[in-house]
Amino acid sequence: MKRLALTFVVLLMGIMSIQAQCSRCGGEGVIRETCLPCHGEGTWTCESCRGSGTQQCYTCHGSGQLTCSYCDGTGKRGDDVCYNCQGNPSFRCELCRGTGEITCRECDGKRYKQCYHCGGSGTKVWRCPECIAAGRI
């Protein structure tokens, strides 16, 4: 029994010594490649604002003006002047300050977002399928 165990160990050591370094990963066990979705940049243009950093104001829908909701923009309430808008039914939107645009809520005005495929590194790292991350074949 001891001789069989010793033979097995010698055989196993011989197999281990003939293993070569994996040519695909260079013995690292992982493969590093440029991230394809972000082209190695680590970021990509924000889809919500298309890279402008701003979006259309959701309160005034980009007009920069709001209409008095009490008088429905007529300036009157019955025969009297509307007391809410004082006869001036259109006023500046305070959210966008009359510009019609607000800072993009998705990218916070940065115009780009971090790539979630590579975590912003620009490099995709994955286990070597050739050597199953062992580094040797």
Side-chain angles (χ1 to χ4, degrees), residues 1-36:
M1 185 68 169
K2 286 183 181 181
R3 186 173 190 169
L4 182 63
L6 184 60
T7 305
F8 179 72
V9 169
V10 169
L11 182 63
L12 186 62
M13 287 176 63
I15 291 171
M16 296 289 265
S17 65
I18 62 169
Q19 282 186 340
Q21 180 175 330
C22 178
S23 60
R24 186 154 183 201
C25 67
E28 282 191 61
V30 294
I31 296 175
R32 299 173 200 291
E33 293 180 337
T34 300
C35 180
L36 294 177

Side-chain angles (χ1 to χ4, degrees), residues 7-9 13-14 17 19 25-26 37 39 47 54 56-57 71 74 90 95 102 105 115 120 126-127 129:
T7 305
F8 179 72
V9 169
M13 287 176 63
S17 65
Q19 282 186 340
C25 67
H39 307 288
E47 301 93 11
T54 61
Q56 181 178 329
C57 179
C71 67
T74 62
S90 182
L95 182 64
I102 58 171
R105 293 181 281 175
C115 176
W126 47 287
R127 279 180 12 152

Side-chain angles (χ1 to χ4, degrees), residues 31-44 112-126:
I31 296 175
R32 299 173 200 291
E33 293 180 337
T34 300
C35 180
L36 294 177
C38 69
H39 307 288
E41 296 292 322
T43 60
W44 51 34
Y112 63 88
K113 291 177 78 174
Q114 185 181 58
C115 176
Y116 57 84
H117 294 280
C118 65
S121 70
T123 305
K124 186 78 173 160
V125 180
W126 47 287

Side-chain angles (χ1 to χ4, degrees), residues 8 11-12 17 21 40 45 49 51-52 59 70 76-78 94 98-99 104 109 117 127 130 137:
F8 179 72
L11 182 63
L12 186 62
S17 65
Q21 180 175 330
T45 303
C49 66
S52 69
T59 303
Y70 192 72
K76 292 187 175 231
R77 190 80 172 134
E94 288 302 316
T99 65
C104 178
H117 294 280
R127 279 180 12 152
E130 194 74 28
I137 297 179

Side-chain angles (χ1 to χ4, degrees), residues 57-122:
C57 179
Y58 55 85
T59 303
C60 66
H61 305 289
S63 70
Q65 298 289 313
L66 294 173
T67 303
C68 178
S69 60
Y70 192 72
C71 67
D72 292 325
T74 62
K76 292 187 175 231
R77 190 80 172 134
D79 289 334
D80 299 324
V81 174
C82 176
Y83 68 87
N84 187 49
C85 66
Q86 302 298 315
N88 187 8
S90 182
F91 53 95
R92 185 178 87 150
C93 175
E94 288 302 316
L95 182 64
C96 67
R97 295 185 177 101
T99 65
E101 294 190 343
I102 58 171
T103 301
C104 178
R105 293 181 281 175
E106 288 292 316
C107 67
D108 198 30
K110 294 177 187 156
R111 301 168 27 170
Y112 63 88
K113 291 177 78 174
Q114 185 181 58
C115 176
Y116 57 84
H117 294 280
C118 65
S121 70

